[in-house]
Amino acid sequence: MVERDIEFGTSVTFAGVSKTYGAVKALSDFNLSIQPGEFVTLLGPSGSGKTTALNVLAGFVDATKGDVLIDQNSILGLPPERRNIGMVFQNYSLFPHMNVFENVAFPLRLRKMAAAEIQKRVGESLAMVQLDDLGDRMPNQLSGGQRQRVAFARAIVFEPSVLLMDEPLGALDLKLREAMQLEIKRYHKQLGCTILFVTHDQGEALALSDRIAVMGDGQIVQIDTPDRIYDEPNSKYVADFIGTTNLLEIEHKASSTIRFSDLEIEFTLPDNHEGWGRDRTSVSLRPEKLHRETSTDNQTIIFDAMIEEYLFLGNIIQYSVRTKTGKTLLFQEHRGPSVPILARGDALKLAFSIRDARPLDGETHGSGVA
């Protein structure tokens, strides 16, 4: 592979951007600051505003209100071709009548670069995606993964200041998506570019991003690093959207006593119980934080359950269990010779540490800080 020493990452800022279509608000006072070279993912369901934000930045959609800046310079008055932004689409968007080399060379020919420079840049870009020996192939002679890599090479060949990726792995099968995730991380590290990635796939977001912005109703609900988004969701919406979780309702009985309604258990919080104010009405508890009762301390909550169903997930078994109140919960554990697989109808005691229960308020959406 040809090594490239490219430092073209730059900052991106959305400042109070709104976009309306009649009475529909696709974006509402959207604010986001992306640092040079950062990989930020907009994650959310259909209609959350993530693709609209991407299209406003790319210049495909005009903002109704607000400003967008690259390297502190407003770009709203510039047509898409003058914004120096690369774009990778879900459906590749390769020209079927051009071979691989000409597809990658296309943006350079639009910029009227010299033939020698085109040859050099296309060669480097194809080498980066490990397709330098397939320059004469036509798109219909390539696999899905190869076509996506050609699309990536074309997007970065002119050294854009920002690279946008709109559901780029959505058309690939699972194993190929996982392989391409590793390649995208490698490309990002090698290029040092600023990437704004759009997806509804939480696994992709967690695997690839420096920061994740969870979208809802045209705004950022929460933005943080993948581990903090997963471990410290700020609302039921984020907790339920990122990964798999159990939501348990709680009641405040006294200054430091709470009642888990779904478990019919009262618990005295430890002295340092910050974050458990009376506005907290539920907790998020990840399935892997539940475990069979082993030892207890004053931080542990134990309850009775019965196995309803289980899923074999390779190195993990995921159980669906029912509590005595009828609440269904999920818990996961790794397989092992000393960990027998439980059967439907088996009774067991489950436990979790209060430290692993994330208290949430009653709002559907939290307030993200971008």
Side-chain angles (χ1 to χ4, degrees):
M1 182 196 305
V2 177
E3 294 292 335
R4 302 174 66 178
D5 184 19
I6 299 173
E7 296 183 1
F8 54 85
T10 189
S11 64
V12 174
T13 304
F14 291 84
V17 174
S18 296
K19 177 60 182 177
T20 59
Y21 296 94
V24 177
K25 287 187 176 181
L27 285 178
S28 179
D29 194 28
F30 179 77
N31 295 281
L32 174 63
S33 295
I34 304 173
Q35 299 303 309
E38 192 176 20
F39 193 125
V40 172
T41 294
L42 301 182
L43 175 68
S46 298
S48 60
K50 59 188 188 299
T51 297
T52 300
L54 196 79
N55 286 333
V56 169
L57 176 57
F60 302 147
V61 169
D62 293 327
T64 305
K65 179 183 175 184
D67 202 358
V68 181
L69 303 94
I70 292 181
D71 197 21
Q72 305 304 313
N73 298 309
S74 176
I75 60 169
L76 288 190
L78 296 177
E81 65 272 14
R82 293 187 56 198
R83 298 189 180 196
N84 197 32
I85 291 175
M87 189 89 179
V88 183
F89 300 93
Q90 178 179 343
N91 60 359
Y92 320 130
S93 298
L94 300 180
F95 299 113
H97 61 287
M98 293 183 182
N99 64 19
V100 167
F101 184 96
E102 288 302 324
N103 263 284
V104 177
F106 183 76
L108 303 181
R109 298 198 189 283
L110 281 181
R111 290 163 173 77
K112 303 187 185 303
M113 286 191 178
E117 182 67 12
I118 290 175
Q119 189 75 31
K120 174 177 176 291
R121 290 202 183 197
V122 173
E124 289 179 348
S125 294
L126 288 178
M128 180 178 295
V129 298
Q130 302 177 38
L131 294 177
D132 44 325
D133 58 341
L134 299 181
D136 59 349
R137 295 277 184 92
M138 301 301 289
N140 63 3
Q141 297 176 303
L142 304 176
S143 67
Q146 289 171 330
R147 289 197 294 272
Q148 190 59 282
R149 285 188 289 177
V150 172
F152 187 91
R154 185 179 61 186
I156 58 95
V157 70
F158 60 95
E159 300 181 8
S161 57
V162 180
L163 180 61
L164 309 183
M165 307 186 80
D166 187 11
E167 305 272 8
L169 308 181
L172 306 179
D173 62 45
L174 177 60
K175 290 188 73 67
L176 194 49
R177 282 204 309 272
E178 291 173 347
M180 286 300 299
Q181 287 175 18
L182 292 174
E183 295 207 17
I184 289 172
K185 287 181 74 75
R186 176 172 61 83
Y187 301 149
H188 180 232
K189 182 178 180 181
Q190 187 172 353
L191 294 170
C193 60
T194 303
I195 295 180
L196 185 60
F197 189 94
V198 162
T199 185
H200 65 274
D201 187 311
Q202 35 136 338
E204 285 179 11
L206 292 169
L208 294 172
S209 314
D210 294 322
R211 285 191 299 158
I212 299 170
V214 181
M215 299 282 295
D217 296 335
Q219 294 181 318
I220 293 176
V221 179
Q222 183 176 357
I223 181 167
D224 215 321
T225 58
D227 58 325
R228 287 179 64 87
I229 286 278
Y230 185 84
D231 292 332
E232 302 176 23
N234 67 356
S235 64
K236 289 183 179 180
Y237 176 80
V238 175
D240 202 34
F241 192 79
I242 297 288
T244 302
T245 199
N246 299 298
L247 294 173
L248 298 174
E249 301 302 313
I250 60 173
E251 305 170 44
H252 291 264
K253 307 300 290 185
S255 60
S256 61
T257 302
I258 58 172
R259 181 176 186 271
F260 287 88
S261 307
D262 301 308
L263 305 177
E264 293 187 342
I265 290 175
E266 289 193 6
F267 182 81
T268 300
L269 294 166
D271 292 337
N272 56 340
H273 57 277
E274 294 182 8
W276 288 84
R278 289 188 172 272
D279 60 329
R280 305 304 184 180
T281 60
S282 62
V283 299
S284 168
L285 182 66
R286 299 295 184 185
E288 67 272 17
K289 299 300 184 180
L290 281 168
H291 55 84
R292 305 187 204 193
E293 179 195 357
T294 51
S295 61
T296 65
D297 55 32
N298 64 357
Q299 303 271 327
T300 303
I301 297 166
I302 303 169
F303 60 95
D304 294 309
M306 184 187 73
I307 302 296
E308 288 188 318
E309 192 54 88
Y310 67 90
L311 295 176
F312 177 82
L313 303 176
N315 65 327
I316 289 174
I317 303 295
Q318 178 170 287
Y319 294 97
S320 173
V321 303
R322 183 176 292 272
T323 71
K324 64 181 181 181
T325 65
K327 175 77 171 182
T328 296
L329 303 175
L330 297 177
F331 98 94
Q332 295 176 347
E333 61 183 4
H334 287 273
R335 293 173 63 209
S338 61
V339 184
I341 296 177
L342 299 168
R344 300 177 190 88
D346 282 354
L348 76 161
K349 287 186 179 294
L350 287 176
F352 65 92
S353 170
I354 194 67
R355 293 185 296 264
D356 293 328
R358 172 68 175 175
L360 306 170
D361 61 30
E363 297 297 322
T364 304
H365 287 186
S367 58
V369 177

